Amino acid sequence: MKKPQLFKLLVGLSLVFLLFQFFLIRIFWKRDDTRNSVNSENLIYTSEDKHHVQKTQFPREDVAKVFLSVCAELKVPVFLLDADILSSLSPDKASPVSINYNCQLNCRRHVTFGVNFKYWDSQGITQMLISDFFIHSIKQADPRFRHDTIPTHFFLYPRNAQRHTVIQVVMFHIRLGSYFWHGAISPLSRLNSVLPSKAHGDIVYGVHAGAYEKFELDEAQVDNMTVYVPQPPEQFLKQIPHSKFIECNSTRARKFVAMYGLDNSEASQKFQRKARQVLAKTKHLLDSLEIRFWLSSGTCLGWFRQCGIIPHSKDVDIGIWIKDYNPQLIPTFQENGFVLKLMFGKVSDSFELSFATGDIKLDIFFFYDTPKYMWNGGTQAKTGKKLKYIFSRFTLCWSEFLDLWIRVPCDTLSYITANYGKDWFKPVKEWDWKKSPSNVHDNGVWPVEEWDTVIQRF
């Protein structure tokens, strides 16, 4: 090959190689730029100020260590929330717990911590973390004060790490002075810039809003690092599957008041005060017996429809799983000022209780579980006729009612519709418990020889 031709070939190959390098540089630059500027609406740190930050190199296994050291320096008591690690903490160990694990914490793709929001100075701590982490914040309207916005979650992932561990920090807010609440991440697609969609299944805290009993913290050693954990861990873990929290729909309540008015009479206010006292006392006693209960019948309708008590109902209604029944329930209530008025059915079938305190009646309906539906029973005292009220299977969620932290059926609309039909939104003052409910069915008759035990009035 002649020298001019060889020279032209070499020049051509050099140009192709330079173009290929330029193409690769553009691809990696674009990918890095996308990563650094995700979701500018919620990101505290973006690529615009990256030149003002001192970048720190650290290996993947030090991600949690760096985060915890910053929190310790600022005296921010973050606590570990990963259930499988907490479940490994032996409850019979003396406090503080000291257990080492083989890369339980550092080798994870997603690690979750919580913090009491009152200890989290978002500006101060993010300024300390920003040199090592990109920080993605999730905020929402404060359900207590609609005009305010509060942070509910922070996601941190390290700079200059090809395979990084994402740290989620869940903000626990104290509500009613009695329980911890955290918000939901809705929709989860808001995390697409932080976690790949296939990793959304790693999210436990934030799929829905959650509520937990207030707890203390104690120290544990995990991966030779000191971390705080809820105490006792086993008690906290029991709450996770049942922590879902739903707000009363204030928009629906305002619509109800606009259509049907608000009974603000003295008699109505007096009943609401007394009903609240009865419900608060009932909650205290049942909680002491570790008996779960929820708002049922007209009391549940009042919460769902108008975020309050129905003034003309004149009683308080709750539901209890029959499997949770404790024989100490009746004597405990009697010892605390409740008068037993009615006891119908038996524990194995159609059990129900009615107590009175002052001029307020407390009705307790016991629910039975079947593979296809759930039901509670009713008994007509004069005839011994049995009734069955059928509901679609349901689970329980936390909510607030009359400034109390209390349970309601999660699918409340289905629960209410079963009892009150499609016209549940319209007030009805005349109600026949034997005929009016949409879900009432005949369930036979009690044998006459059993009436003395299954139909008791006091």
Side-chain angles (χ1 to χ4, degrees):
M1 183 179 291
K2 295 180 180 180
K3 289 184 178 180
Q5 292 177 327
L6 179 61
F7 178 75
K8 290 180 179 179
L9 178 61
L10 291 175
V11 170
L13 290 173
S14 299
L15 288 174
V16 170
F17 182 69
L18 287 172
L19 287 173
F20 180 69
Q21 285 185 314
F22 178 72
F23 177 72
L24 288 178
I25 290 171
R26 287 197 62 183
I27 290 176
F28 285 107
W29 179 269
K30 184 176 181 181
R31 186 175 67 180
D32 188 61
D33 185 63
T34 301
R35 182 184 172 193
N36 290 349
S37 58
V38 290
N39 201 343
S40 59
E41 180 181 353
N42 293 314
L43 203 58
I44 293 175
Y45 171 85
T46 69
S47 59
E48 293 177 0
D49 50 35
K50 64 184 179 182
H51 298 295
H52 303 288
V53 177
Q54 177 67 39
K55 295 186 178 180
T56 302
Q57 297 274 1
F58 53 87
R60 183 168 181 259
E61 62 268 18
D62 285 341
V63 171
K65 185 176 182 179
V66 171
F67 170 71
L68 288 171
S69 66
V70 171
C71 292
E73 183 177 348
L74 293 176
K75 297 182 179 179
V76 177
V78 295
F79 46 88
L80 189 62
L81 289 177
D82 289 81
D84 52 349
I85 301 180
L86 291 178
S87 64
S88 300
L89 301 176
S90 176
D92 57 359
K93 293 283 184 180
S95 177
V97 182
S98 180
I99 303 175
N100 293 329
Y101 296 96
N102 183 18
C103 207
Q104 287 285 305
L105 187 59
N106 280 322
C107 296
R108 291 165 173 261
R109 175 176 58 183
H110 175 245
V111 182
T112 309
F113 292 92
V115 65
N116 185 337
F117 179 68
K118 71 178 182 178
Y119 297 119
W120 183 270
D121 176 0
S122 60
Q123 293 302 316
I125 195 167
T126 52
Q127 288 303 312
M128 288 285 288
L129 291 168
I130 205 171
S131 62
D132 296 313
F133 296 94
F134 296 103
I135 305 175
H136 181 83
S137 68
I138 301 291
K139 298 179 180 180
Q140 71 169 68
D142 190 331
R144 300 161 297 181
F145 315 104
R146 294 289 179 178
H147 58 280
D148 291 339
T149 300
I150 54 173
T152 56
H153 301 263
F154 285 86
F155 286 84
L156 291 71
Y157 57 102
R159 302 175 183 280
N160 305 317
Q162 292 181 350
R163 297 181 61 198
H164 58 263
T165 296
V166 174
I167 293 179
Q168 178 185 0
V169 188
V170 184
M171 300 291 110
F172 280 70
H173 298 260
I174 297 178
R175 291 180 56 163
L176 299 180
S178 59
Y179 70 96
F180 282 125
W181 169 92
H182 69 73
I185 304 170
S186 181
L188 281 176
S189 59
R190 296 175 69 179
L191 299 180
N192 286 347
S193 55
V194 181
L195 289 171
S197 58
K198 64 181 180 180
H200 289 177
D202 296 339
I203 299 294
V204 174
Y205 306 90
V207 175
H208 50 68
Y212 294 83
E213 296 174 2
K214 291 173 70 175
F215 49 82
E216 300 296 327
L217 300 176
D218 207 344
E219 292 182 345
Q221 295 294 318
V222 180
D223 291 353
N224 296 315
M225 291 184 292
T226 300
V227 297
Y228 287 109
V229 295
Q231 288 296 315
E234 62 274 15
Q235 181 63 33
F236 178 83
L237 291 169
K238 287 180 183 178
Q239 298 182 67
I240 295 176
H242 313 290
S243 63
K244 185 176 181 180
F245 183 97
I246 55 179
E247 302 283 350
C248 178
N249 191 321
S250 58
T251 301
R252 182 189 297 123
R254 287 192 295 268
K255 179 180 177 182
F256 179 83
V257 171
M259 291 180 64
Y260 300 107
L262 177 66
D263 184 354
N264 207 23
S265 64
E266 183 178 345
S268 172
Q269 294 183 48
K270 183 178 180 180
F271 170 70
Q272 291 184 58
R273 288 194 300 271
K274 288 185 175 181
R276 200 269 181 197
Q277 293 170 356
V278 169
L279 194 57
K281 195 171 185 179
T282 297
K283 173 177 169 59
H284 172 73
L285 296 177
L286 291 178
D287 286 351
S288 70
L289 295 170
E290 297 185 349
I291 297 176
R292 295 172 297 172
F293 75 97
W294 63 91
L295 303 181
S296 190
S297 302
T299 307
C300 186
L301 175 62
W303 170 84
F304 185 69
R305 187 176 66 186
Q306 55 217 73
C307 296
I309 201 85
I310 299 176
H312 57 265
S313 61
K314 303 305 179 186
D315 59 11
V316 173
D317 305 310
I318 65 171
I320 294 176
W321 304 120
I322 194 64
K323 62 185 177 183
D324 289 344
Y325 177 66
N326 184 333
Q328 290 301 310
L329 187 155
I330 293 175
T332 298
F333 272 67
Q334 289 176 321
E335 291 165 6
N336 286 274
F338 286 85
V339 179
L340 182 61
K341 304 298 289 185
L342 301 172
M343 183 166 65
F344 289 163
K346 47 190 175 182
V347 173
S348 60
D349 183 9
S350 305
F351 195 47
E352 59 178 310
L353 299 171
S354 286
F355 292 91
T357 174
D359 54 355
I360 303 294
K361 186 160 70 84
L362 171 68
D363 290 328
I364 304 179
F365 304 106
F366 290 88
F367 280 67
Y368 298 77
D369 195 355
T370 76
K372 294 185 177 180
Y373 60 86
M374 295 172 174
W375 65 280
N376 73 283
T379 296
Q380 189 174 20
K382 292 181 180 180
T383 64
K385 182 179 179 180
K386 297 168 63 180
L387 300 171
K388 177 184 282 190
Y389 302 86
I390 294 178
F391 297 82
S392 298
R393 293 179 59 79
F394 60 89
T395 56
L396 300 179
C397 287
W398 288 107
S399 190
E400 289 184 7
F401 180 66
L402 303 179
D403 290 330
L404 296 170
W405 181 41
I406 215 153
R407 295 181 183 91
V408 297
C410 293
D411 187 357
T412 324
L413 177 59
S414 174
Y415 190 90
I416 292 298
T417 304
N419 241 163
Y420 298 100
K422 295 181 179 180
D423 292 332
W424 55 266
F425 194 75
K426 184 178 180 180
V428 176
K429 293 190 177 183
E430 298 298 326
W431 184 259
D432 186 338
W433 62 271
K434 301 180 296 297
K435 299 177 181 179
S436 298
S438 302
N439 61 341
V440 63
H441 299 269
D442 290 338
N443 194 29
V445 179
W446 290 109
V448 175
E449 60 270 22
E450 293 187 17
W451 282 22
D452 287 345
T453 55
V454 299
I455 304 174
Q456 299 189 59
R457 302 183 189 188
F458 304 93

